[in-house]
Amino acid sequence: SIIIFIVRGEPQNAIVSRTIEVDYSKLADEAEIHKYNILNFLNETRVQKMYKTLFEKLLQKLIAYSTKTNTRRDSTRRIVSGVNTSIAAVPWQVSLREKTYPICGGSVITSIWLLSAAHCLLRSKASELSVRLGSSWKTHGGEMYDVKETYVHPKYARNTKVNDVGLIQLYSPLRFSPRVLPIGIVAKETRLPANQAAIVSGWGKLRESGPSATFLQSSTIKTIAMKLCRHSGLDRNPIDPSSMFCAGSFSQPSPDACQGDSGGPIVSEGLLIGVVSWGLGCARGNFPGVYTRLSNPVI
């Protein structure tokens, strides 16, 4: 899963000093100006190139950090697959909360609409939900917003998690900044090739049945061919190719999303390509993570 082990009692400033950052300030200024026409803004070729460039910067930083830490012997702090990541590097990241308790992730897509997983929105009334935005920390910082309404995809199937996506509506528009920014969604029917690099982020469990992250984590991950995904250990749960895709490793443990990351973003080339949906355990070999395919025309 998205994992980092931190020495208990380690000062916050020590954690922040090892945090990966990317600067979205120029995009944030433009997004705020175009707030009420944000979808057209996000679809501009020039803007998508800017998002892609910043995505590639983060990707390279994550790869470099992982390479460096994997060769370092450290008995007290060992990064397995995830990295402390500033919210400024993934400013669309949302923490969805039930009566202030974090339950899922999500993504900012406009000034009043957020995207998450359908299964995250079924357990609570909208009046019991809130979101924290703009903070790398799960428990404090940024700003809290009350949720006005939630909408589960009308064709969501609870048993199979087909079309596992939903919308969250806020009462008032967000003010965009380098720490709170929408992300464009992949175009409908866009082909998602195997072995494509992506970044997944969240505050979910650091390992299967383990503690949750307190500081935002992100990790590089690669998409998996559907043929391999359907023949992996996931075959006991049917994979729907039209509404799902897999990412992680088919043959060995690898970076993965885990409990608490559900509903959060998986981003590739600067676009939101999926939503963390389900899996069997976390980061197990032969059990890749499953994500909602946002290029599905039905979605």
Side-chain angles (χ1 to χ4, degrees), residues 6-207:
I6 298 172
V7 179
R8 182 171 294 177
E10 186 173 21
Q12 290 187 6
N13 59 356
I15 296 174
V16 173
S17 70
R18 300 194 311 275
T19 298
I20 287 181
E21 298 194 19
V22 176
D23 186 7
Y24 277 85
S25 55
K26 186 177 187 302
L27 267 171
D29 291 342
E30 290 194 47
E32 180 64 18
I33 293 170
H34 296 90
K35 177 187 295 187
Y36 298 106
N37 193 25
I38 196 64
L39 294 180
N40 286 338
F41 172 76
L42 292 172
N43 284 327
E44 289 181 19
T45 301
R46 173 187 64 88
V47 172
Q48 291 189 351
K49 285 183 178 179
M50 292 171 70
Y51 271 91
K52 183 177 180 180
T53 298
L54 291 168
F55 164 82
E56 289 172 348
K57 282 186 178 181
L58 177 57
L59 184 69
Q60 292 308 312
K61 287 186 177 186
L62 289 171
I63 291 171
Y65 193 97
S66 296
T67 301
K68 179 176 68 175
T69 55
N70 283 343
T71 58
R72 180 188 304 161
R73 294 183 182 272
D74 186 339
S75 61
T76 59
R77 183 169 57 248
R78 181 171 63 90
I79 295 178
V80 179
S81 54
V83 182
N84 283 346
T85 304
S86 169
I87 192 70
V90 284
W92 44 84
Q93 177 77 49
V94 173
S95 174
L96 178 64
R97 314 167 89 80
E98 179 183 25
K99 297 178 179 176
T100 75
Y101 182 79
I103 57 170
C104 281
S107 303
V108 178
I109 55 172
T110 77
S111 61
I112 61 167
W113 292 101
L114 316 175
L115 194 73
S116 190
H119 76 264
C120 292
L121 306 178
L122 292 175
R123 56 190 287 178
S124 311
K125 298 177 182 177
S127 60
E128 298 174 326
L129 297 174
S130 62
V131 295
R132 186 186 297 278
L133 298 168
S135 178
S136 308
W137 296 95
K138 182 169 65 175
T139 56
H140 60 275
E143 295 186 35
M144 296 287 291
Y145 294 86
D146 290 331
V147 170
K148 181 179 181 180
E149 192 55 82
T150 60
Y151 301 88
V152 170
H153 194 286
K155 293 188 177 181
Y156 170 62
R158 187 189 297 243
N159 293 337
T160 60
K161 288 194 168 62
V162 168
N163 302 317
D164 187 15
V165 67
L167 289 168
I168 300 166
Q169 184 181 18
L170 303 178
Y171 278 100
S172 55
L174 301 171
R175 178 176 176 80
F176 295 142
S177 73
R179 302 175 73 84
V180 179
L181 195 64
I183 185 165
I185 300 175
V186 66
K188 300 300 181 189
E189 299 185 341
T190 298
R191 180 178 172 271
L192 183 61
N195 211 37
Q196 180 163 312
I199 295 172
V200 64
S201 54
W203 292 272
K205 289 186 180 296
L206 298 174
R207 60 184 181 273

